[in-house]
Amino acid sequence: MVRTVTFLLLALALVGCGLWTARSRSRVPAPTTDSSPGSIAATAAPAPAPATAAGLRSTDAMPTAVAPAVATPSGTTKPTTAAPGPQPPTPAVDRTTTEAPASAPAGALRLGQGAQGGRLGAIYELVGLRTGEHGAFTRAVWELSTADQTQGQSEPLWEVVQQRNDQEPKAAGILDGSCHIRLRLADTYAMNFVGSLRLDAPAGAAINGIRILPMEDDSSLVFAVDLAEPAPYTVTVLQAPLRIVLDVYRP
């Protein structure tokens, strides 16, 4: 009887010990990863994927594009630059310094034809008179100014016509060639003008020169652009500064 009780107590002790061990294991905390800034967790690198027949896989990053190289005069190479981005707007162009069409534009005036523009009412001063060669035509420019700020960018009354020399009786002995372009600038004076009111054109120019004609009144300047023969021409008014521009094309 005593032996039986002893075996029972021993069995109970063994069972209790097993239960305690299992409970202790369940309380052990799971290992944590150190995420502090100074620690580095070792991870296994993934095995490289095999290359496909097409070379790069769809999941691979495409290589950075490299500009093709071009040869320089010295024999070295340099990468070409990328196309420039949007450019700032082009500033306004002064047509007195740029090329015009190689031939007379449609609508150009000819012998016996003229035009007029502007208006009366202000006082203008001639501040510049010049000519320039532009390939197929010769350009003459009359630059004006006005002290009357209320006029803004207005222009004086101007009249232009191409006619034969015998149609200008007051210019007998003054004009050269067979015909001329007559330009009248009303309300315009040259009292403070610095320079010559007569210009000779270089050899080969579309005009022979510019001459001032006898004044019709004391408030106008009249000029004659000498031509060896009739020629097409155009008249343009430009602003800032105010200019009357005459382009005479070679016949």
Side-chain angles (χ1 to χ4, degrees), residues 69-87:
V70 295
T72 61
S74 61
T76 60
T77 60
K78 64 179 181 179
T80 58
T81 57
Q87 299 298 315

Side-chain angles (χ1 to χ4, degrees), residues 47-213:
T52 63
L56 294 174
R57 301 188 307 277
S58 60
T59 56
D60 291 335
M62 294 298 292
T64 303
V66 179
V70 295
T72 61
S74 61
T76 60
T77 60
K78 64 179 181 179
T80 58
T81 57
Q87 299 298 315
T90 305
V93 177
D94 182 347
R95 289 183 56 194
T96 63
T97 59
T98 56
E99 294 293 334
S103 59
L109 302 173
R110 299 181 182 274
L111 182 65
Q113 297 179 330
Q116 66 177 16
R119 59 174 181 165
L120 297 171
I123 298 176
Y124 297 86
E125 282 283 343
L126 180 67
V127 298
L129 174 59
R130 53 188 179 271
T131 63
E133 290 302 301
H134 295 268
F137 68 95
T138 300
R139 173 166 291 171
V141 179
W142 288 261
E143 184 175 336
L144 309 173
S145 70
T146 177
D148 188 353
Q149 300 301 322
T150 62
Q151 294 298 316
Q153 297 296 324
S154 63
E155 60 199 73
L157 175 66
W158 55 269
E159 300 171 335
V160 62
V161 64
Q162 182 176 175
Q163 58 188 15
R164 298 190 179 280
N165 288 351
D166 56 13
Q167 294 178 281
E168 191 73 33
K170 294 182 179 180
I174 298 177
L175 298 177
D176 183 26
S178 65
C179 55
H180 66 279
I181 298 173
R182 181 181 186 274
L183 171 66
R184 173 177 174 256
L185 300 174
D187 295 333
T188 304
Y189 302 87
M191 293 179 293
N192 299 320
F193 178 72
V194 178
S196 175
L197 295 176
R198 171 174 173 165
L199 299 179
D200 293 324
I207 67 175
N208 292 342
I210 298 177
R211 307 167 192 270
I212 190 168
L213 297 179

Side-chain angles (χ1 to χ4, degrees), residues 12-28:
L12 291 173
L14 291 174
V15 172
C17 183
L19 292 173
W20 181 86
T21 301
R23 184 175 297 176
S24 299
R25 288 180 178 178
S26 64
R27 292 178 179 178
V28 177

